[in-house]
């Protein structure tokens, strides 16, 4: 049993409701699968063991704090690290690159909406 919460959704919003849940659950599986593939390519034998503590903490923080739980190079405006990520993915896991770019852009959009004003060169770097 999932332990879900019953909620009444208006008929006109049911597709949006389902899209939101699918985005969270299904895309999380895709995200973690891609991260596992990249960790294997980097030489990690047990990517799940590396990901589990980080992802569990990120999930709990995200549920409690929303977008304020964000950390990492996009929040810090670390274009050098993002460039290194993109180069490594292009070289070793090119199939993961489109998802990384899409999520980086979504993160930059979220930062802008939150008034954190990421440096514009980050967007240019991610979309190259």
């Amino acid at each position: 049993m999932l332990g879900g919460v019953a909620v009444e959704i208006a008929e006109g919003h049911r597709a949006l409701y389902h899209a939101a849940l699918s985005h969270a659950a299904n895309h999380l599986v895709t995200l973690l699968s891609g991260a596992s593939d990249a960790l294997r390519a980097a030489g990690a034998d047990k990517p799940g063991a590396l990901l589990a503590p980080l992802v569990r903490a990120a999930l709990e923080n995200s549920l409690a704090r929303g977008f304020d739980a964000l950390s990492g190079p996009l929040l810090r405006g670390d274009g050098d690290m993002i460039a290194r990520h993109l180069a490594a993915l292009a070289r070793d896991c090119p199939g993961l690159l489109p998802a990384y770019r899409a999520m980086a852009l979504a993160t930059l959009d979220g930062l802008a909406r939150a008034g954190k004003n990421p440096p514009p060169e980050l967007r240019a770097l991610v979309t190259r």
Side-chain angles (χ1 to χ4, degrees):
M1 180 160 183
L2 292 176
V5 175
V7 60
E8 195 168 316
I9 301 295
E11 186 64 39
H13 288 110
R14 288 197 181 172
L16 178 61
Y17 169 83
H18 191 263
L21 296 177
S22 293
H23 181 55
N26 300 150
H27 295 166
L28 178 62
V29 172
T30 303
L31 176 74
L32 294 177
S33 177
S36 294
D37 291 346
L39 286 168
R40 277 190 212 87
D45 291 334
K46 297 180 182 175
L50 295 171
L51 288 169
L54 176 68
V55 171
R56 284 187 180 111
L59 174 62
E60 290 302 321
N61 284 335
S62 295
L63 292 173
R65 300 178 56 217
F67 201 72
D68 286 337
L70 184 68
S71 65
L74 289 170
L75 178 65
R76 293 190 306 271
D78 188 349
D80 290 338
M81 183 55 71
I82 298 300
R84 290 174 62 197
H85 289 178
L86 293 167
L89 289 170
R91 181 187 66 236
D92 297 320
C93 286
L96 184 54
L97 201 51
Y100 182 96
R101 288 182 188 280
M103 291 307 297
L105 288 172
T107 302
L108 290 170
D109 289 345
L111 286 168
R113 281 190 304 276
K116 308 242 185 209
N117 302 316
E121 57 269 15
L122 287 180
R123 182 172 296 279
L125 179 64
V126 169
T127 58
R128 272 190 215 155

